[in-house]
Amino acid sequence: MNYFNPGAHKNPKHTLNCFEKASYYSNQTMLKFTIVILCIVFSTDAVFSQDSTKVKRVKVLPVPAFGYSPETKTYIGAVSLFTFHQPNDTLTRTSNAKVKFTYTWNKQAILETGWNYFFNHEKWFTKGQLSYSIYPDFYYGIGPNSSKQGEVTYTANRFIAEVFALKKVERHWFTGPVFRYINYSKLKVNDSSLTYRELTNGASTGFGYSLNFDSRNNILTPTSGFLFDANASYNLSSSDYLKLVLDFRFYKTWNEKITLATRLFNEINSGTPPFYDMAFLGGDKYVRGYALGRYRDNNMSTFQTECRFPIGWIIGGAAFGGVATLYSKQYPLNAANIQYNYGLGLRFRVDKKEKTNLRFDYALGKDGNNGFYIAFGESF
C-alpha cells in the first residue's frame, strides 16, 4: 500500500453567499494555475542544467514542491529526486530515491522518503518508504457504501516504515524478506457527533516475504516490460492479521511514442486489521480521483489503464481510467459497489537522459469525487 497521501480537509464552515462562492472558486482556480506555471518553470530550468557531456554516478534534482490533491488540498515544500548509476555497469538499471517535505494549508506536516535501489549487476534490490506526519484526517467508516454524512475528523501522529530486501535468484526474479511498521499516536477525534470504536491509537508490526519479477526498462517512467510483485506478511497488532498484496503491471510502446500501461492490484487482509492498515481506495498511486481513505475495507481490487503519448518538445500527455471495488465478509462483492475513475494528464520531461517526468493529472470519479495531482514519475 501506499501511505504517503495524508487526509482530507473540510471546506470553510460558514455559509458563503453567491459573491463569496464565486470569489472562492476563482481564487482556487488561479492558485492551481499559478502552481502549474511555477512547477513548469523550475522543471524546465532543471532540464537545461543537466550535464550532457558525461554520465554522473549520482544526479540530484532539487525542486520546490507545489501541489494539490483531495487528501492535502494545496501544499508547498521541497523535494529532491536522486538517481544512481552503478560505475562500470551499463546493464544495471537506474536506481532512484526521493526525499520530500511538505506543509499544507490544512496545517498538515509530512516528511517522507522512498527508494528503489539496485546493487551492482542487480544481485540485490531494495525498495521501501519511511514517512512521519502530523495532520488532520477524515474518516467515513468501513465498507464500500460509507456515506459523506458519516464523516468525522480526527488528528494523529503517524510513523510508517516499509522495507524490502530482495536477492536476485534468476534473470529479473528477486525474492526476500519484508518488514512493515505503522504507529498511530496522539489520536484525537475532533467531531463528537459520531463515534467509531475503531478510531484508536495503535501500532502494527509485520514480517513477511516477497517474490518479485521485474523486467521494466525504467522504474520511474517505464515504457516496456512486466512487473509481478507478490508479498505476504504476518502483522502483530491488537488483533493479528495476515496481509497479501498482488501487483501486476504491463507496459508496451509502439513506434517509440505511444505507451500503454496497465495495472491489476489486489490487497487481501484476513482477520481484523486496524483501521489504518485496511485496504484504502484512492490516492495518487491506486485510483486517482478519490481521497485516500475515502473508502476502506478488508480487501480491494483495482484495474487501471493509461495511454501516454508525446505532444511536443518536452511535453507529453496521458489519458487514463479504471475500476475498483472494496469487499469483505460483511460487504461481499457487488456490481453496485464498483467505483470508477477517468482523467487526463500532462507530462514535462525534467531529465532527458533518465526520461524522468514531472506529472500533472486531473481525475474524476463516481459521485462527484475528483482530484488534481503533481508528482515525479508515473502513477504506476
Side-chain angles (χ1 to χ4, degrees):
M1 296 181 61
N2 184 332
Y3 303 98
F4 286 172
N5 290 300
H9 178 64
K10 287 187 175 181
N11 290 328
K13 292 184 178 180
H14 67 279
T15 302
L16 303 178
N17 59 39
C18 293
F19 177 78
E20 289 174 323
K21 287 182 178 179
S23 176
Y24 174 78
Y25 288 113
S26 175
N27 290 339
Q28 291 295 306
T29 301
M30 288 301 297
L31 176 60
K32 294 177 186 179
F33 179 77
T34 303
I35 289 170
V36 170
I37 295 300
L38 287 171
C39 287
I40 293 172
V41 169
F42 282 110
S43 301
T44 304
D45 178 69
V47 169
F48 292 105
S49 66
Q50 300 297 322
D51 186 350
S52 60
T53 62
K54 60 178 71 174
V55 177
K56 297 179 179 179
R57 183 179 177 185
V58 179
K59 285 185 179 179
V60 183
L61 183 64
V63 296
F66 299 93
Y68 180 92
S69 75
E71 298 85 23
T72 63
K73 302 305 180 186
T74 303
Y75 64 82
I76 187 171
V79 58
S80 287
L81 180 68
F82 300 83
T83 55
F84 308 90
H85 296 272
Q86 291 294 342
N88 304 317
D89 183 358
T90 59
L91 297 180
T92 297
R93 285 168 287 180
T94 301
S95 302
N96 65 74
K98 179 183 71 173
V99 178
K100 184 177 182 180
F101 174 77
T102 54
Y103 185 80
T104 80
W105 287 9
N106 300 341
K107 298 181 180 179
Q108 302 162 333
I110 307 108
L111 176 63
E112 60 189 31
T113 182
W115 68 90
N116 295 275
Y117 188 81
F118 291 100
F119 288 79
N120 201 31
H121 303 298
E122 297 192 5
K123 292 181 179 180
W124 288 86
F125 172 59
T126 179
K127 63 178 180 176
Q129 53 190 10
L130 297 172
S131 174
Y132 180 76
S133 53
I134 306 172
Y135 52 79
D137 201 353
F138 272 1
Y139 185 74
Y140 300 89
I142 298 171
N145 299 314
S146 60
S147 171
K148 285 281 290 183
Q149 282 69 41
E151 79 176 19
V152 299
T153 60
Y154 71 95
T155 57
N157 294 2
R158 313 171 189 198
F159 177 74
I160 298 163
E162 190 172 40
V163 180
F164 293 72
L166 309 179
K167 178 178 174 56
K168 184 177 180 179
V169 291
E170 291 289 344
R171 188 168 184 262
H172 300 312
W173 284 98
F174 300 85
T175 187
V178 180
F179 172 75
R180 307 176 67 250
Y181 179 73
I182 306 173
N183 185 294
Y184 270 49
S185 62
K186 299 183 179 180
L187 190 149
K188 178 183 178 182
V189 178
N190 303 321
D191 188 339
S192 59
S193 60
L194 291 170
T195 301
Y196 292 101
R197 291 181 300 171
E198 61 269 23
L199 280 177
T200 61
N201 294 315
S204 175
T205 304
F207 301 93
Y209 209 77
S210 175
L211 178 64
N212 180 286
F213 177 88
D214 191 353
S215 63
R216 293 175 296 172
N217 61 337
N218 187 295
I219 302 300
L220 280 176
T221 313
T223 57
S224 66
F226 181 80
L227 171 69
F228 165 75
D229 187 26
N231 68 82
S233 60
Y234 189 81
N235 298 269
L236 308 172
S237 188
S238 56
S239 176
D240 296 352
Y241 58 99
L242 180 68
K243 181 183 293 289
L244 174 65
V245 176
L246 301 172
D247 193 354
F248 305 86
R249 309 183 200 183
F250 176 73
Y251 305 88
K252 175 70 174 178
T253 298
W254 289 270
N255 299 322
E256 298 184 354
K257 292 183 178 180
I258 299 176
T259 298
L260 178 67
T262 58
R263 184 186 194 188
L264 177 63
F265 180 88
N266 293 273
E267 180 179 341
I268 300 170
N269 290 288
S270 66
T272 307
F275 80 96
Y276 51 77
D277 201 24
M278 285 184 160
F280 297 161
L281 185 152
D284 180 47
K285 296 296 183 182
Y286 299 101
V287 187
R288 282 163 286 179
Y290 296 84
L292 186 66
R294 172 61 185 88
Y295 299 98
R296 71 183 75 202
D297 207 333
N298 271 32
N299 312 309
M300 177 177 70
S301 296
T302 73
F303 177 77
Q304 303 291 306
T305 187
E306 181 165 312
C307 181
R308 303 160 187 164
F309 48 87
I311 295 177
W313 191 41
I314 59 171
I315 303 175
F320 56 88
V323 293
T325 188
L326 291 158
Y327 54 97
S328 61
K329 289 183 179 179
Q330 184 177 359
Y331 301 98
L333 280 171
N334 189 322
N337 297 333
I338 292 177
Q339 307 288 343
Y340 60 81
N341 76 324
Y342 59 94
L344 296 172
L346 289 175
R347 306 291 184 267
F348 294 88
R349 186 59 51 86
V350 295
D351 188 333
K352 289 184 177 181
K353 184 174 180 58
E354 302 301 334
K355 298 182 179 179
T356 303
N357 290 332
L358 185 64
R359 171 167 56 91
F360 300 82
D361 287 335
Y362 182 70
L364 296 169
K366 191 176 178 181
D367 298 325
N369 288 282
N370 65 88
F372 176 63
Y373 305 88
I374 302 175
F376 279 114
E378 297 298 340
S379 175
F380 60 87

